[in-house]
């Protein structure tokens, strides 16, 4: 499993990248607004993220346009920011049409706000490079988000969609709206390709009380040796 960071916070991205385990970044308008972002600075902000993580790490930047023509226009503009930008588009009819056009132009798309198997299969057929089913938002309405992601992973894995994507790459499923390290564990066990997680969850993935206790014991014993 690969790990993406779900944030627009430059400091968080820089720190996570220094750990050597970060494979990409996903952003959205809410995350950008949370760090005090301004519309006029958005492209520069995405470029800074791309520079931090490097050219091999995809960075998803979202369009909020509602028509296929506007989505395509936004997608072209976003893709021009850096070679590793992936255009994030909501799962909807206009989004499918725009995804097909962008994929045919060699622009990678992350189809987001995906909640069902039929949505995921349509996204893959339309040329999405990444499909982002949400876990936590299902849990918010007392449904099993993990089960839905598992169904999408199984369904997408039944077929080869590489002929549909921008550069002949295989479609990857990004488990999104991750709320805990346990969500990551369950998504990894079911075979999700990627988990995109908030920085707080990424930090919790590293820690464990027994690890902390072991370190304390080693340090204390070494002090005795000294």
């Amino acid at each position: 499993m690969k790990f993406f960071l779900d944030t627009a916070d430059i400091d968080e991205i820089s720190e996570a990248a220094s750990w050597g385990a970060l494979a990409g970044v996903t952003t959205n308008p809410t995350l950008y607004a949370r760090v005090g972002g301004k519309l006029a600075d958005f492209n520069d902000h995405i470029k800074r993220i791309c520079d931090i993580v490097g050219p091999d790490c995809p960075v998803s930047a979202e369009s909020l346009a509602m028509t296929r023509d506007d989505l395509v226009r936004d997608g072209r503009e976003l893709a021009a920011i850096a070679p590793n930008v992936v255009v994030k588009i909501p799962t909807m009819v206009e989004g499918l049409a725009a995804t097909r056009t962008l994929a045919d132009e060699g622009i990678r798309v992350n189809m987001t706000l995906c909640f069902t198997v039929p949505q995921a299969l349509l996204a893959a057929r339309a040329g999405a490079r990444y499909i982002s089913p949400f876990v936590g938002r299902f849990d918010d309405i007392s449904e099993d988000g993990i089960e839905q992601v598992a169904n999408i992973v199984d369904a997408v894995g039944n077929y080869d969609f590489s002929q549909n994507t921008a550069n002949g790459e295989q479609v990857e499923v990004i488990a999104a709206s991750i709320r805990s390290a346990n969500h990551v564990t369950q998504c990894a066990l079911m075979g999700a390709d990627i988990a995109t997680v908030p920085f707080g969850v990424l930090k919790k993935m590293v820690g464990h009380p027994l690890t902390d206790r072991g370190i304390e014991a080693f340090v204390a014993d070494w002090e005795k040796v000294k």
Side-chain angles (χ1 to χ4, degrees):
M1 171 179 270
K2 291 182 283 190
F3 299 110
F4 288 5
L5 196 62
D6 194 33
T7 185
D9 189 299
I10 295 295
D11 292 337
E12 291 180 349
I13 294 166
S14 296
E15 175 61 20
S18 75
W19 299 0
L22 190 64
V25 174
T26 55
T27 69
N28 62 44
T30 299
L31 295 173
Y32 184 59
R34 194 173 291 166
V35 297
K38 305 297 183 183
L39 180 60
D41 301 326
F42 180 73
N43 287 10
D44 288 340
H45 193 87
I46 296 298
K47 181 63 167 61
R48 287 184 66 194
I49 294 173
C50 291
D51 290 341
I52 291 168
V53 300
D56 296 328
C57 291
V59 175
S60 289
E62 187 163 350
S63 169
L64 283 182
M66 290 292 107
T67 68
R68 64 191 69 186
D69 290 342
D70 288 343
L71 284 163
V72 169
R73 185 197 66 241
D74 283 358
R76 290 169 178 158
E77 180 180 326
L78 292 169
I81 295 173
N84 51 328
V85 167
V86 176
V87 181
K88 203 172 182 184
I89 292 178
T91 305
M92 57 183 183
V93 170
E94 296 299 291
L96 291 171
T99 296
R100 181 69 272 155
T101 298
L102 292 171
D104 288 342
E105 295 179 6
I107 296 173
R108 293 176 297 170
V109 172
N110 174 2
M111 188 143 272
T112 189
L113 289 172
C114 180
F115 292 96
T116 69
V117 168
Q119 285 181 321
L121 293 175
L122 286 168
R125 183 60 64 188
R129 173 63 175 83
Y130 301 98
I131 299 170
S132 293
F134 281 30
V135 177
R137 296 198 188 192
F138 264 116
D139 292 350
D140 290 343
I141 59 171
S142 301
E143 293 189 19
D144 190 345
I146 291 295
E147 181 182 8
Q148 297 295 337
V149 175
N151 290 339
I152 287 171
V153 168
D154 287 345
V156 172
N158 284 336
Y159 308 98
D160 181 1
F161 292 104
S162 58
Q163 69 274 17
N164 299 94
T165 59
N167 302 299
E169 301 167 305
Q170 189 54 265
V171 176
E172 291 185 282
V173 175
I174 303 177
S177 188
I178 296 290
R179 306 282 175 79
S180 68
N182 185 51
H183 274 168
V184 175
T185 298
Q186 294 181 70
C187 289
L189 291 172
M190 73 178 61
D193 302 291
I194 301 159
T196 186
V197 301
F199 188 59
V201 171
L202 192 69
K203 290 192 292 185
K204 289 179 180 178
M205 289 165 55
V206 180
H208 191 278
L210 293 178
T211 302
D212 297 339
R213 193 180 306 169
I215 292 172
E216 290 171 2
F218 291 157
V219 171
D221 288 340
W222 187 245
E223 288 299 318
K224 294 176 185 177
V225 172
K226 290 165 59 179

